[in-house]
Amino acid sequence: MSDPVGTPVVAVALDGVGWHPGAWRRSPEEARRSATAAYWRDLVLPLDDAGVDVVTWEDPFGIPGDGYGEPAARADRLRVAPEPVLLASALAPSTRRVALVPSVVTTHTEPFHVATAVATLDHASLGRAGVRLRADATRTRARLLGRRDLPPLETATRDAPLSLAARDEVFADAGEVAEVLGRLWDSWEDDAEIRDATTGRFVDRDRLHHIDFVGDHLAVKGPSIVPRSPQGRPPVLVLAHDPRAFALAAAAADVVLVTPDAPYPGDDAAGSVARVRAAEAAAGRAEPPLRVLGEVDVVLGATREEATRRLAELDALAHPGGGAWRSDAVVVVGTPVDLLARADTWRAAGLDGLRLRPAEHAVDLPLLLEHVLPHLVDAGRPVLTLRERLGLERPRSRYAAPTREDAS
Amino acid sequence: MSAGAERPAERRPPGRRQVRLGAHFPGVNATSVWSDPASGSHIDFSSFVHMARTAERSRFDFFFLAEGLRLREKKGRIHDLDVVGRPDTLAVLAALSAVTEHLGLVGTLTTTYNEPYEVARQLATLDHLSGGRAGWNAVTSPDAFTGANFRRGGFLDRADRYDRAAEFVTVVRSLWRSWGVDDLVADTDGARFVRDVEVGAFSHRGRHFDVEGHFPLPRSPQVEPVVLQAGDSDAGRAFGATHADGIFTLARGLDEARAFSADLKGRAAAAGRDPDHLLILPAATFALGDTTEEAERHAAEVRRAQVSGATALQFLERFYNRDLSGYDPDGPLPDVEPLPEPEDPLLVQGQVVPTVDVVAQVREWRELAAAKGLSLRDLVVEVSARQTFVGTAAEIAEQIDHRVQTGAADGFILVPHLSPGGLDELAERVVPLLQERGSVPASYTGRTLRENLGLPAEPPVRSHPVRSHP
Ligand SMILES: Cc1cc2nc3c(=O)[nH]c(=O)nc-3n(C[C@H](O)[C@H](O)[C@H](O)COP(=O)(O)O)c2cc1C
């Protein structure tokens, strides 16, 4: 396909002290400090300097689990899950170029609060905000709020009927949330603040709009309380394994995170892109095509043997009774050259970039910074909004009166 | 000598009460003057940075943000005469944590359109990120008008607003306390991150909340971020006296303020609390001048700028309960009689409803306008909020200190009328005088907001409906 974004988009996904559940065992001090500003600044500032395009934060919402299913409380797992929109906000003043993308669980949050918080992050970062939306069907997390009744997620068979119904519900809810976010971000036209001293009017209320959203799951009146932000609508990211997530991405996102090979054996990178395009067609997408990033966990080493040994050690720490890391992404266990080769293959197959998930922040981030990122990103790149970096135009508000060009 | 930067905190005369200072970011209220050429953005982050740094340079205890979750409306249309629009409270405070070091960061969040787990996690996150500077002004908006922006709509009866708030704050505090001092072990040899699997466990079933799980954040530096309460009704006072560390309230005359403070402290004592650990913090506006006359003149100018003709008409509409948009603000008061109830339920939404007898109030204003020859707008300028403190720097310092030393307040949350520079002069000229008197410490001596405010570093455990683990 065409190359909408020029050079590949490189996101680094931060999570706790690394994506491997054994990572904290090697970095206990970092784990202890993993809710402090200093810990996150030390991680993000070098990535900003290196020219990385995006940093993302996961949101386990409750205590982190080991993957799919109900998260189990274990004493041997990291139990620190700060609220990611606030983490991203705290990084906005000290970073310059990197886009800041927190994850938000749509199922258990108020779309009004999410819309205003992400718009505020966009104001504070001068156009570097995005948000990754995640639906969550676990009962454990629903019980933290007690507002929504969900059955326990059955993990033995992914298509157990109760879990299917719960997943249908939370994804339908997420679709409505995404629609509400877009409408709220458009509810103030760009030039709504007029400060007209002669008539005493601070805003032109004809340029503020009730969104009047009424869905099956929620209703929101609007308008937002936050004036339109630098990007107009901060980009929305969705990670897709489940067909429902592909449909959500096609209907409501700007960027989709896919895992070639992992969810659908036989799908290579090209197959994943084809799956995205099919979802777009099915959704009748009118927006620019989704930017497609490949998800890759990285366990690096100077040699393949060293990387393999590192993974084996992390696995032994996390699963003392035997067992291996169950990741939902492609896991590259190898040298920086191996990773770069994988990036090239994906690029050739039509992916727009990748999201790197370091297994162990303390080890894999320095290796990425020294040996991988210099080949993938431009350390001298200019300051851009996230939309600009993704090659997406700044949208006009859907409520703005049509211009003459629109009519012609 | 520069304004006492080295003055040790112990220099304060014995028995002198400390003046607590909050800096209220101007924005969506009738105080903000946006028509002044010096008025900048209420949205750009640089405005927040400016005011937070001013406050921190002058050793304010905390920065304060109000909240409003629906734009005000008149007859279904957006109110357009005052500042409209504000960023999200928590996101701004988190960003400010990165550009300040000591300043407390206090945000207003409603207990009605949030859930305890969310607020507990957000404020604990802010407390970790800021190294112990988080605070929460808990408010209780129960109106269905605001509820239209949220999942559950206007679900709450007005009578239940403080019942939910009390249960809400109690659950939040129990989550903040769900990790013990030694629960985070990060013991790699023993393969335990937490002391045992039940660390952070909570389970609560009450009238408003039925929740359980594990709280995913270790004890934060303050353990319990500071909690303020705002809402002056009897139920509000009862809630604040039991559950809050401080009361954000309206400015009052000296005697009335003393009575309010005595009432709240008495209620706190009756609830078995140390009354000194409930801070009374009224909002206060100010006008500063080089001479008393200049300050008075400035105060009058600001009041006129706050009350445009259109604003004056809308002010009176809340008392007449009628649409007055046809009247001339420069003419006399409307000759129609006030209605006991709004003629149109949508007349004003999202604004405070007056609790006075409107007929008597309007009669009184007519007499005042006749006696002084005031136009409609002049009258509103005359009777709507006069600045709390007017005078030279020395006079304002004396007014503030006098109120605190005589038990009318523990300090003030100062509300400037301009963004972002509206606090600069007061911070630079008045605070040093308070420091010279020993009423404001020369520097931040505490590690956390709680300590800087003189609140107990380890707050006593209050009622505990939640399973506490051994
Ligand atoms: C000084 C003061 C400041 C307040 N600030 C806010 C605010 O920023 N946001 C909000 O939603 N409510 C605010 N409130 C409203 C109160 O939380 C409460 O909802 C309202 O006063 C009704 O409660 P009451 O009947 O106890 O007064 C404020 C009230 C007072 C007295």
Side-chain angles (χ1 to χ4, degrees):
Chain A
M1 63 165 280
S2 68
D3 187 359
V5 293
T7 52
V9 174
V10 177
V12 173
L14 300 175
D15 187 25
V17 293
W19 281 71
H20 195 289
W24 79 265
R25 301 283 293 279
R26 300 199 161 267
S27 313
E29 271 321 300
E30 284 86 343
R32 223 177 239 294
R33 302 193 307 125
S34 62
T36 65
Y39 171 74
W40 292 103
R41 261 202 300 273
D42 288 351
L43 292 185
V44 176
L45 266 48
L47 297 170
D48 187 36
D49 287 340
V52 164
D53 297 312
V54 177
V55 165
T56 66
W57 284 269
E58 301 313 291
D59 189 13
F61 200 72
I63 55 174
D66 264 13
Y68 184 81
E70 298 286 342
R74 296 174 55 152
D76 65 344
R77 291 292 186 264
L78 185 74
R79 287 261 188 114
V80 184
E83 205 288 319
V85 179
L86 299 184
L87 286 185
S89 302
L91 267 304
S94 40
T95 48
R96 202 162 59 87
R97 292 183 302 187
V98 72
L100 307 166
V101 179
S103 298
V104 164
V105 173
T106 54
T107 315
H108 302 309
T109 50
E110 286 286 356
F112 194 86
H113 291 319
V114 174
T116 57
V118 174
T120 300
L121 176 62
D122 204 39
H123 280 289
S125 65
L126 305 175
R128 294 183 287 123
V131 63
R132 183 193 142 212
L133 301 183
R134 181 166 87 75
D136 189 295
T138 61
R139 175 177 169 79
T140 309
R141 297 190 184 104
R143 289 292 299 137
L144 297 168
L145 277 80
R147 191 169 54 189
R148 191 191 281 275
D149 209 13
L150 291 173
L153 198 59
E154 292 155 283
T155 47
T157 51
R158 267 185 173 236
D159 44 6
L162 275 180
S163 299
L164 284 182
R167 283 209 296 274
D168 285 343
E169 178 186 329
V170 299
F171 272 99
D173 182 276
E176 295 189 1
V177 168
E179 173 68 18
V180 167
L181 297 184
R183 290 197 197 185
L184 286 171
W185 289 332
D186 280 349
S187 64
W188 287 60
E189 293 180 38
D190 287 320
D191 41 9
E193 189 179 309
I194 52 172
R195 298 192 182 223
D196 181 5
T198 52
T199 58
R201 293 177 309 144
F202 182 79
V203 287
D204 175 356
R205 59 188 172 192
D206 291 335
R207 295 180 220 172
L208 290 177
H209 304 274
H210 290 126
I211 68 165
D212 286 317
F213 178 84
V214 180
D216 295 332
H217 300 265
L218 53 107
V220 174
K221 180 76 184 173
S224 175
I225 52 169
V226 186
R228 204 145 190 266
S229 72
Q231 297 183 93
R233 297 199 295 267
V236 170
L237 286 68
V238 167
L239 188 159
H241 297 308
D242 190 309
R244 298 171 191 79
F246 277 94
L248 172 66
D254 301 287
V255 178
V256 61
L257 306 168
V258 298
T259 305
D261 301 330
Y264 305 104
D267 260 15
D268 53 10
S272 297
V273 175
R275 190 176 291 279
V276 172
R277 299 296 162 235
E280 287 174 337
R285 183 179 173 94
E287 305 277 306
L290 283 161
R291 305 314 189 221
V292 188
L293 307 187
E295 290 274 282
V296 51
D297 285 302
V298 294
V299 187
L300 294 176
T303 61
R304 274 184 208 164
E305 293 66 39
E306 186 188 322
T308 308
R309 191 171 61 243
R310 277 191 59 219
L311 178 59
E313 285 168 9
L314 286 167
D315 279 346
L317 287 170
H319 307 284
W325 186 16
R326 286 186 302 143
S327 171
D328 64 336
V330 172
V331 188
V332 170
V333 185
T335 65
V337 172
D338 293 335
L339 179 57
L340 287 165
R342 170 76 72 150
D344 281 347
T345 329
W346 281 0
R347 183 91 190 122
L351 263 60
D352 298 306
L354 68 176
R355 186 167 84 133
L356 300 164
R357 314 197 316 190
E360 229 185 309
H361 289 168
V363 179
D364 293 298
L365 280 174
L367 290 172
L368 285 170
L369 280 162
E370 194 170 344
H371 302 292
V372 178
L373 293 169
H375 303 282
L376 291 178
V377 298
D378 173 8
R381 81 166 170 87
V383 177
L384 300 170
T385 68
L386 177 54
R387 291 193 85 89
E388 286 168 346
R389 182 61 192 92
L390 293 169
L392 297 170
E393 282 183 7
R394 186 176 187 280
R396 269 163 56 80
S397 161
R398 71 195 68 190
Y399 301 107
T403 61
R404 235 175 259 126
E405 292 122 70
D406 295 338
S408 66
Chain B
M1 194 182 79
S2 71
E6 310 80 18
R7 186 188 295 272
E10 310 79 68
R11 273 285 296 276
R12 96 176 129 117
R16 177 160 287 274
R17 302 179 69 91
Q18 295 292 278
V19 173
R20 315 295 174 188
L21 294 175
H24 188 303
F25 188 81
V28 184
N29 56 45
T31 304
S32 295
V33 174
W34 54 263
S35 53
D36 191 303
S39 161
S41 173
H42 300 90
I43 303 297
D44 290 351
F45 185 60
S46 58
S47 291
F48 292 89
V49 174
H50 179 111
M51 202 174 121
R53 290 202 167 133
T54 296
E56 186 162 79
R57 264 197 310 277
S58 296
R59 210 229 161 266
F60 274 65
D61 292 292
F62 58 91
F63 185 89
F64 184 93
L65 288 177
E67 180 186 68
L69 298 170
R70 177 132 182 220
L71 303 184
R72 290 181 284 169
E73 291 183 9
K74 177 184 172 183
K75 290 190 168 174
R77 309 200 62 203
I78 307 297
H79 173 79
D80 56 1
L81 302 176
D82 300 322
V83 170
V84 179
R86 64 194 345 145
D88 175 74
T89 296
L90 285 164
V92 169
L93 295 180
L96 284 177
S97 74
V99 296
T100 51
E101 265 180 79
H102 306 287
L103 189 66
L105 303 166
V106 182
T108 301
L109 301 170
T110 177
T111 54
T112 307
Y113 301 110
N114 289 298
E115 298 297 329
Y117 176 80
E118 294 179 275
V119 168
R121 184 160 81 118
Q122 287 164 330
L123 287 168
T125 298
L126 182 63
D127 207 43
H128 279 290
L129 287 174
S130 63
R133 298 187 280 137
W136 170 29
N137 178 35
V139 298
T140 55
S141 48
D143 55 308
F145 177 71
T146 301
N149 281 337
F150 295 95
R151 285 179 179 271
R152 293 174 72 188
F155 68 97
L156 192 65
D157 266 4
R158 188 173 154 76
D160 287 338
R161 68 196 188 287
Y162 283 109
D163 193 47
R164 176 174 163 108
E167 193 176 326
F168 193 114
V169 172
T170 305
V171 174
V172 167
R173 280 212 172 97
S174 67
L175 300 189
W176 287 338
R177 288 186 164 277
S178 63
W179 287 56
V181 187
D182 301 319
D183 281 352
L184 198 170
V185 291
D187 166 11
T188 52
D189 296 334
R192 289 180 314 162
F193 183 73
V194 285
R195 194 164 49 83
D196 63 57
V197 75
E198 285 305 294
V199 165
F202 64 91
S203 165
H204 166 91
R205 182 178 290 230
R207 191 171 156 226
H208 298 274
F209 306 107
D210 172 9
V211 295
E212 67 185 332
H214 292 82
F215 191 60
L217 280 165
R219 272 166 93 87
S220 73
Q222 293 186 102
V223 186
E224 291 185 10
V226 172
V227 178
L228 307 184
Q229 175 270 349
D232 286 346
S233 63
D234 188 61
R237 293 183 192 203
F239 165 70
T242 313
H243 294 278
D245 300 304
I247 307 290
F248 180 36
T249 183
L250 302 171
R252 293 176 167 78
L254 190 57
D255 292 336
E256 228 192 307
R258 272 193 206 126
F260 179 83
S261 178
D263 177 40
L264 267 293
K265 302 232 177 198
R267 289 173 191 247
R273 301 180 57 195
D274 179 344
D276 284 344
H277 295 160
L278 181 68
L279 304 175
I280 309 301
L281 302 167
T285 51
F286 54 90
L288 183 59
D290 288 335
T291 63
T292 313
E293 297 69 40
E294 191 195 302
E296 290 287 358
R297 214 169 34 244
H298 176 51
E301 282 164 14
V302 170
R303 288 208 299 279
R304 240 190 133 64
Q306 284 164 339
V307 184
S308 70
T311 300
L313 287 169
Q314 280 216 352
F315 175 87
L316 289 179
E317 280 175 347
R318 288 188 301 157
F319 291 87
Y320 278 76
N321 285 316
R322 290 172 183 275
D323 184 347
L324 301 178
S325 48
Y327 287 84
D328 175 7
D330 296 317
L333 283 182
D335 44 13
V336 290
E337 283 310 306
L339 300 172
E341 294 287 325
E343 58 177 1
D344 173 348
L346 299 178
L347 190 60
V348 256
Q349 294 202 280
Q351 296 195 43
V352 180
V353 181
T355 49
V356 295
D357 170 355
V358 290
V359 176
Q361 180 69 76
V362 168
R363 192 180 317 123
E364 188 189 309
W365 285 343
R366 281 210 183 104
E367 285 161 14
L368 180 68
K372 290 194 167 183
L374 302 176
S375 70
L376 184 160
R377 181 176 173 206
D378 295 336
L379 182 276
V380 175
V381 170
E382 181 90 7
V383 303
S384 65
R386 191 187 143 71
Q387 288 89 345
T388 320
F389 302 121
V390 178
T392 62
E395 286 165 350
I396 290 184
E398 166 59 25
Q399 292 166 30
I400 291 177
D401 205 24
H402 179 68
R403 286 196 168 222
V404 171
Q405 301 312 330
T406 59
D410 292 290
F412 292 93
I413 299 183
L414 291 155
V415 192
H417 70 274
L418 285 180
S419 163
L423 194 67
D424 296 358
E425 254 199 291
L426 179 122
E428 280 155 27
R429 295 171 58 189
V430 175
V431 178
L433 301 178
L434 290 167
Q435 290 175 316
E436 265 172 37
R437 288 166 173 244
S439 298
V440 169
S443 60
Y444 293 98
T445 46
R447 197 177 48 96
T448 63
L449 172 60
R450 193 167 266 293
E451 290 171 16
N452 283 322
L453 285 172
L455 295 168
E458 282 280 321
V461 180
R462 280 164 254 224
S463 55
H464 226 299
V466 172
R467 182 174 80 217
S468 56
H469 82 98

